[in-house]
């Protein structure tokens, strides 16, 4: 229940924050998977569907969660320019669930609201109305191979597991 309330509060805050920034449409957020075949988002380990996630392999369930998170973010963000988010599973170190950040920053581009201010690439693209760095991702995200993630979409995370949707929502926000 807390996870659902947290997502709702986050979505409400984002809608309020971006209201009036532009007349752009809902954002198209596209996860770009960088895992090698047989690993991470392509892990072929058989699993049973869980918590509204119909995937039958660990990799498929991970991809479904990433697409779900992208759709949630896309429904509250506004941009006429697609946002590309690189995603992969990798060892990240003790107690690190995920990491992410912008891949580029831009200043003084057509559409910049304030001269001399650096904007991360997804925001700069949205303000400019074009992809300022075509062919490249806007955000790079990494997810730990060392945690027992829950891949359900229902917020009913069992004890001893970490809700992967919450982690992806957090990292994609970068």
């Amino acid at each position: 229940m807390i996870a659902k309330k947290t997502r709702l509060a986050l979505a409400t805050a984002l809608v309020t924050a971006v209201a009036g920034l532009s007349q752009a449409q809902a954002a198209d957020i596209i996860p770009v998977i960088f895992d090698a075949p047989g690993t991470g988002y392509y892990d072929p380990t058989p699993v049973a569907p869980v918590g509204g996630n119909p995937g039958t392999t660990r990799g498929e369930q991970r991809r479904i969660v990433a697409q779900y998170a992208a759709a949630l973010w896309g429904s509250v963000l506004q941009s006429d320019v697609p946002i590309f988010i690189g995603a992969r599973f990798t060892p990240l170190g003790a107690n690190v669930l995920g990491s992410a950040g912008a891949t580029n920053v831009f200043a003084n581009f057509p559409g910049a609201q304030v001269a001399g201010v650096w904007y991360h690439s997804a925001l700069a693209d949205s303000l400019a109305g074009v992809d300022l760095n075509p062919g490249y991702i806007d955000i790079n995200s990494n997810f730990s191979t060392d945690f027992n993630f829950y891949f359900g979409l229902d917020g009913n995370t069992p004890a001893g597991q970490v809700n992967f949707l919450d982690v992806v929502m957090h990292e994609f926000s970068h």
Side-chain angles (χ1 to χ4, degrees), residues 3 16 30 35 38 42 56 66 87 92 113-114 136 140 159 168:
T16 302
I30 303 165
D35 285 322
Y42 300 116
T56 57
L92 294 177
Q113 293 182 341
V114 181
Y136 293 91
N140 188 36
V168 175

Side-chain angles (χ1 to χ4, degrees), residues 5 26 38 40 47-48 51 53 63 65 111 119 126 140 155 164:
K5 287 181 182 178
V47 295
N53 186 331
R63 291 190 308 274
V65 171
Y119 296 84
S126 180
N140 188 36
F164 187 59

Side-chain angles (χ1 to χ4, degrees), residues 22 24-28 74 77-83 122-123 125-127 129:
S22 74
Q25 64 182 2
D28 187 13
L77 297 177
Q78 296 179 351
S79 181
D80 290 330
V81 181
I83 300 167
L123 179 56
D125 290 352
S126 180
L127 293 172

Side-chain angles (χ1 to χ4, degrees), residues 21 105-120 123-124 127-128:
L21 283 181
V105 292
F106 299 92
N108 304 321
F109 52 89
Q113 293 182 341
V114 181
V117 170
W118 292 95
Y119 296 84
H120 60 81
L123 179 56
L127 293 172

Side-chain angles (χ1 to χ4, degrees), residues 7-120:
R7 284 194 295 269
L8 178 59
L10 176 63
T12 302
L14 284 170
V15 167
T16 302
V18 300
L21 283 181
S22 74
Q23 297 301 317
Q25 64 182 2
D28 187 13
I29 299 176
I30 303 165
V32 179
I33 309 300
F34 289 122
D35 285 322
T39 68
Y41 281 102
Y42 300 116
D43 183 337
T45 304
V47 295
V50 62
N53 186 331
T56 57
T57 68
R58 184 174 292 136
E60 182 182 21
Q61 285 187 349
R62 289 170 172 171
R63 291 190 308 274
I64 289 168
V65 171
Q67 286 297 123
Y68 189 81
L72 287 172
W73 274 116
S75 72
V76 296
L77 297 177
Q78 296 179 351
S79 181
D80 290 330
V81 181
I83 300 167
F84 296 96
I85 302 179
R88 73 175 55 89
F89 274 82
T90 188
L92 294 177
N95 301 314
V96 179
L97 297 168
S99 67
T103 57
N104 286 293
V105 292
F106 299 92
N108 304 321
F109 52 89
Q113 293 182 341
V114 181
V117 170
W118 292 95
Y119 296 84
H120 60 81

Side-chain angles (χ1 to χ4, degrees), residues 141-166:
S141 66
N142 299 284
F143 300 95
S144 179
T145 56
D146 300 325
F147 285 87
N148 184 17
F149 287 114
Y150 173 68
F151 298 112
L153 305 174
D154 60 1
N156 295 319
T157 309
Q161 291 187 306
V162 175
N163 188 313
F164 187 59
L165 178 59
D166 290 345

